[in-house]
Amino acid sequence: MPAQAYAGKECVCQFRRGICDQSCVQGMLDTPFYIACLRLTGRRCLVVGGGDIGLEKVEGLLACDGRVTLVSPEAVPALEELAAEGSIAWERRDYETADLEGTFIAIAATDDTDVNIRIYEDAERRAMLVNIVDVPPLCNFILPAIVRTGPLAIAISTAGASPALAKRIKREIAEEYGAPYARMAEILNEVRGWAKGTLPTYQDRKSFFESIVNGEPDPVELLRRGDEAAVRDLVAAAQESAQAARPAAAA
């Protein structure tokens, strides 16, 4: 539930207004979020809350190879199974401030306002990444909707204004940008080493890759038709052209 939905109800943010007056969400839509992709492999990631939302957050972190610790007295069966098989560590108790030690990212998915505020404030004092689910004012980062196919990941954010709209956009993007684009990324990645070792400047490498991506025939359309060989021919032709242009440029 986005924070706007709490208007007139019990306050759930750090301002402790008693009854929510929306003070905390004023200007949220004008906040310029810095979009980044985090590398979580091997990093300790903390999730507080063992319900269905906690499960969703745990699964998302595991999908990115995070080292997940769950803190919750109880957990839904799917989380119990993940703990039993060793995929996550489960501390079967209430949250403690010490849980943040050595932690890279913390996500709270509890229904206890005081606990949520405490986690946020503890994390902020440590300059950590923290997200209190569905309460944007208690977050220093928000989680966008993600379209993920192979190495391709596209993030969609409405700055917390409408998760439903973000999900609709996600569906539409998934239909438009799917497997052919992901395969194109993999093919281009195969020649990154060649480009770095052969083409001396950033501008040379930029021009090389753009000549493939924006070339004719359209490589993505070729992949949609299943003609990967034709795409590899385009890449080979671009390599030959780039190499041929080097002596001329030096002259």
Side-chain angles (χ1 to χ4, degrees), residues 59 79 84 140 164 191 204 211 215 240 243:
E59 290 177 335
L79 285 170
N140 57 27
V191 293
D204 289 335
S211 72
E240 291 178 6
Q243 284 181 310

Side-chain angles (χ1 to χ4, degrees), residues 147-196:
V147 176
R148 193 185 302 276
T149 307
L152 182 66
I154 303 173
I156 304 102
S157 172
T158 61
S162 177
L165 179 59
K167 288 180 180 178
R168 171 178 172 170
I169 297 170
K170 175 181 176 179
R171 289 195 302 270
E172 294 177 356
I173 287 178
E175 292 173 0
E176 178 66 23
Y177 301 98
Y181 282 88
R183 185 58 186 146
M184 190 71 235
E186 292 170 345
I187 292 172
L188 293 173
N189 183 63
E190 293 173 6
V191 293
R192 285 185 65 191
W194 176 89
K196 190 171 184 179

Side-chain angles (χ1 to χ4, degrees), residues 16 19 29 37 48 68 71 84 87 90 106 108 110 125 134 136 151 164 171 174 181 196 208 215 223 225 247:
R16 300 179 187 272
I19 299 300
L29 296 184
C37 297
V48 183
V68 180
V71 173
S87 294
W90 180 17
T110 85
R125 280 192 292 271
D134 287 341
R171 289 195 302 270
Y181 282 88
K196 190 171 184 179
F208 167 70
L223 288 172
R225 299 202 299 260

Side-chain angles (χ1 to χ4, degrees), residues 15-130:
F15 295 121
R16 300 179 187 272
R17 301 296 192 195
I19 299 300
C20 179
D21 64 2
Q22 296 294 278
S23 301
C24 61
V25 296
Q26 292 174 5
M28 279 293 292
L29 296 184
D30 297 325
T31 300
F33 286 96
Y34 185 79
I35 306 299
C37 297
L38 302 178
R39 185 174 182 177
L40 300 184
T41 301
R43 296 183 183 272
R44 174 180 162 88
C45 303
L46 177 70
V47 175
V48 183
D52 289 331
I53 296 176
L55 171 63
E56 175 188 334
K57 303 310 175 185
V58 165
E59 290 177 335
L61 294 168
L62 288 177
C64 296
D65 295 327
R67 183 165 56 86
V68 180
T69 294
L70 171 70
V71 173
S72 181
E74 299 178 348
V76 296
L79 285 170
E80 291 182 343
E81 292 175 9
L82 288 172
E85 70 187 26
S87 294
I88 65 173
W90 180 17
E91 300 291 339
R92 305 186 187 200
R93 54 170 171 76
D94 292 330
Y95 165 79
E96 299 172 0
T97 300
D99 290 324
L100 296 181
E101 296 305 319
T103 297
F104 179 68
I105 186 173
I107 300 176
T110 85
D111 56 5
D112 188 318
T113 296
D114 290 335
V115 171
N116 287 340
I117 293 173
R118 182 182 165 200
I119 294 170
Y120 171 76
E121 292 177 344
D122 287 348
E124 277 285 277
R125 280 192 292 271
R126 290 162 174 75
M128 285 175 49
L129 291 170
V130 59

